[in-house]
Amino acid sequence: MDNQASVVSFAPGRINLIGEHTDYNDGFVLPAAIDLGCSCRMRKNNKRLLNIWADDIDEFYSFDLKTKQRLETIPTWFKYFLGVFQEMSKQDEDLSGIDLNFSSTIPIGAGLSSSAAMTCSLAIGINELFSLGIPKKELMYIAQKAEHNCVGIQCGIMDQFASIYSKAAQVNLLNCNTMTFQPIPFELGAFEIVLVNSGVSHELASSEYNKRRKTCESVVEKAKVRNISIKSVSDLNLDTLNMLKPALTDIEYKRATHVIKENNRVLKAAAALQNSNILELGKLIYDSHSSLNEQYEVSCDELNFLVDATKELDYVLGSRMMGGGFGGCTLNIVAQEHQRLFRQKISSSFQKIFSTEPEIYDVKISEGAQILSESN
Ligand code: ADP
Ligand code: MG
């Protein structure tokens, strides 16, 4: 490919039916890509410069790869790209700089993984542009490391996995310990997924997210001291957790309880989906929310209100907060024939309390990341 060639790459955001805060605990999740995502158009510039235009917010930032710029002076959105570029430079130290424009159809910070869409889109794009031949699995880890090392979010692997590996019309039961997955046809019969955006931007999310992760690591350390040899909280069950209870703080006990029970719910939900038992799936989704709110403490008033409001609607089978928490969307299983009514009811009751109308989205379960075009 010559220097003037350009590549357009696309990577989607995702939903996660159930399994929240389990990925970084080596547990189970049930995500799928959606029909919203991030497109990157890039070409080599043969300089040691990363020139990036964020078209949606009309910002430009240029980074000189020869110098060491302090991370604090760099806009947050740019760090996702810089992080990926730095990881990929480890594969080929002589990577030239690039000129890149990107835009995304994913609402930012709504729990639909706008961040992984950016990093995965760039990773597959650079792989193509420079003919690096990096396998999918490694691209997924590169995208994750960008958030760890450059943005400072110790995220799990679910978002990047879903963005890169998903296929249309199926959700994936992913075991984050073995990184093996089982695709399950996404068939909800007369029901569909509707997302309601609380509009609360999850500012607390990054610090609280890392805190949750540390608490879980502390549980693992305390287990080891007591000769319960585990690699992650997901290796515990309720019996071993109770044996360990005297050594744990109340908070540690609650967090671990969530993880253990949530893993169980994911497996049950996968079975329910396979058996077309959408009623059961809905109940598990409601239980997941209660646990995220009470045990893991990552919900907020707006999310709780949105979930509680659905309990009066007999055409909604399940509702829960989705993503890291402290804002973002709820995921709802709604009867297709009452979708419009659902939108009206939720909008008006939310507006009465919070004086703003929530955005509501239908999503389609879609293909994972792909190169859209190349030109010479
Ligand atoms: P989520 O991945 O759930 O959407 P994150 O907090 O992980 O939320 O990532 C959101 C961050 O990603 C934003 O703060 C911003 O820096 C960046 N981002 C996402 N989409 C865009 C976009 N279209 N333009 C610029 N920055 C974006
Ligand atoms: Mg994210």
Side-chain angles (χ1 to χ4, degrees):
M1 195 176 278
D2 70 39
N3 295 333
Q4 300 312 311
S6 73
V7 160
V8 180
S9 57
F10 173 85
R14 58 106 194 90
I15 56 156
N16 180 28
L17 274 186
I18 192 163
E20 219 62 81
H21 288 273
T22 45
D23 63 346
Y24 57 83
N25 284 303
D26 290 349
F28 295 100
V29 290
L30 201 52
I34 55 175
D35 57 341
L36 302 173
C38 175
S39 305
C40 294
R41 176 182 296 278
M42 63 192 86
R43 65 176 75 238
K44 299 174 192 171
N45 59 25
N46 291 329
K47 298 175 201 145
R48 298 289 291 153
L49 286 177
L50 270 188
N51 293 326
I52 304 189
W53 287 261
D55 291 343
D56 300 321
I57 54 173
D58 206 14
E59 282 189 28
F60 169 77
Y61 195 78
S62 178
F63 182 92
D64 186 340
L65 294 158
K66 294 192 297 297
T67 62
K68 283 217 177 314
Q69 257 162 279
R70 291 208 331 273
L71 270 180
E72 309 87 82
T73 61
I74 300 172
T76 305
W77 62 265
F78 190 88
K79 290 181 191 167
Y80 293 91
F81 293 92
L82 180 61
V84 171
F85 199 85
Q86 285 176 336
E87 288 301 323
M88 297 195 81
S89 303
K90 290 179 189 164
Q91 309 271 336
D92 178 351
E93 284 179 11
D94 297 325
L95 277 192
S96 114
I98 56 171
D99 291 351
L100 179 147
N101 284 72
F102 79 98
S103 68
S104 174
T105 48
I106 309 173
I108 299 176
L112 302 181
S113 199
S114 65
S115 64
M118 285 159 57
T119 52
C120 293
S121 183
L122 179 64
I124 66 157
I126 291 189
N127 197 34
E128 186 72 20
L129 186 65
F130 292 93
S131 306
L132 298 178
I134 301 172
K136 256 184 178 185
K137 192 165 190 177
E138 219 172 308
L139 293 172
M140 170 182 81
Y141 286 119
I142 284 171
Q144 184 194 31
K145 279 188 205 143
E147 293 213 28
H148 286 189
N149 299 340
C150 212
V151 186
I153 309 256
Q154 299 303 310
C155 59
I157 197 66
M158 170 173 69
D159 298 353
Q160 297 77 9
F161 163 83
S163 187
I164 288 194
Y165 278 91
S166 290
K167 295 273 175 240
Q170 61 191 35
V171 294
N172 298 291
L173 173 61
L174 172 68
N175 177 337
C176 299
N177 182 30
T178 58
M179 287 311 288
T180 49
F181 66 98
Q182 180 194 347
I184 300 175
F186 186 67
E187 275 297 334
L188 293 186
F191 292 86
E192 62 189 7
I193 299 280
V194 182
L195 304 176
V196 182
N197 194 344
S198 67
V200 181
S201 79
H202 52 191
E203 273 159 28
L204 262 176
S206 53
S207 58
E208 288 296 321
Y209 192 99
N210 291 347
K211 229 196 251 176
R212 295 295 179 285
R213 202 172 167 140
K214 279 218 159 66
T215 304
C216 292
E217 284 164 7
S218 162
V219 172
V220 174
E221 285 313 309
K222 287 184 175 176
K224 282 183 185 157
V225 171
R226 300 240 154 171
N227 287 327
I228 302 174
S229 171
I230 56 169
K231 203 169 115 267
S232 68
V233 173
S234 296
D235 292 332
L236 291 169
N237 56 39
L238 292 175
D239 291 337
T240 45
L241 176 66
N242 280 325
M243 278 165 54
L244 190 58
K245 192 175 181 186
L248 302 179
T249 64
D250 285 351
I251 298 266
E252 285 167 345
Y253 182 75
K254 280 165 82 167
R255 305 297 187 252
T257 303
H258 165 76
V259 173
I260 294 165
K261 291 190 170 177
E262 184 79 350
N263 280 328
N264 238 317
R265 280 188 286 268
V266 179
L267 296 177
K268 284 186 182 162
L273 190 60
Q274 276 171 316
N275 297 328
S276 303
N277 190 347
I278 312 304
L279 197 65
E280 168 73 1
L281 175 66
K283 281 189 190 136
L284 292 161
I285 285 174
Y286 274 129
D287 289 348
S288 170
H289 183 80
S290 302
S291 177
L292 287 160
N293 181 35
E294 289 156 25
Q295 307 291 329
Y296 221 69
E297 298 179 281
V298 288
S299 189
C300 63
D301 289 347
E302 290 83 351
L303 289 169
N304 290 341
F305 178 87
L306 286 172
V307 170
D308 288 342
T310 67
K311 291 182 180 162
E312 294 163 11
L313 311 174
D314 58 7
Y315 49 85
V316 179
L317 296 188
S319 177
R320 70 174 193 88
M321 54 150 278
M322 191 179 67
F326 303 104
C329 289
T330 59
L331 171 145
N332 304 274
I333 299 196
V334 184
Q336 274 163 356
E337 62 173 330
H338 294 303
Q339 225 232 79
R340 204 182 300 162
L341 189 59
F342 171 78
R343 286 171 173 257
Q344 282 165 4
K345 289 261 183 207
I346 289 291
S347 279
S348 70
S349 44
F350 191 82
Q351 187 158 28
K352 264 185 217 142
I353 307 289
F354 298 104
S355 311
T356 164
E357 238 182 71
E359 282 185 14
I360 300 182
Y361 324 103
D362 279 327
V363 288
K364 198 161 158 254
I365 304 300
S366 303
E367 282 292 310
Q370 52 205 288
I371 299 299
L372 295 184
S373 73
E374 288 167 35
S375 66
N376 288 308

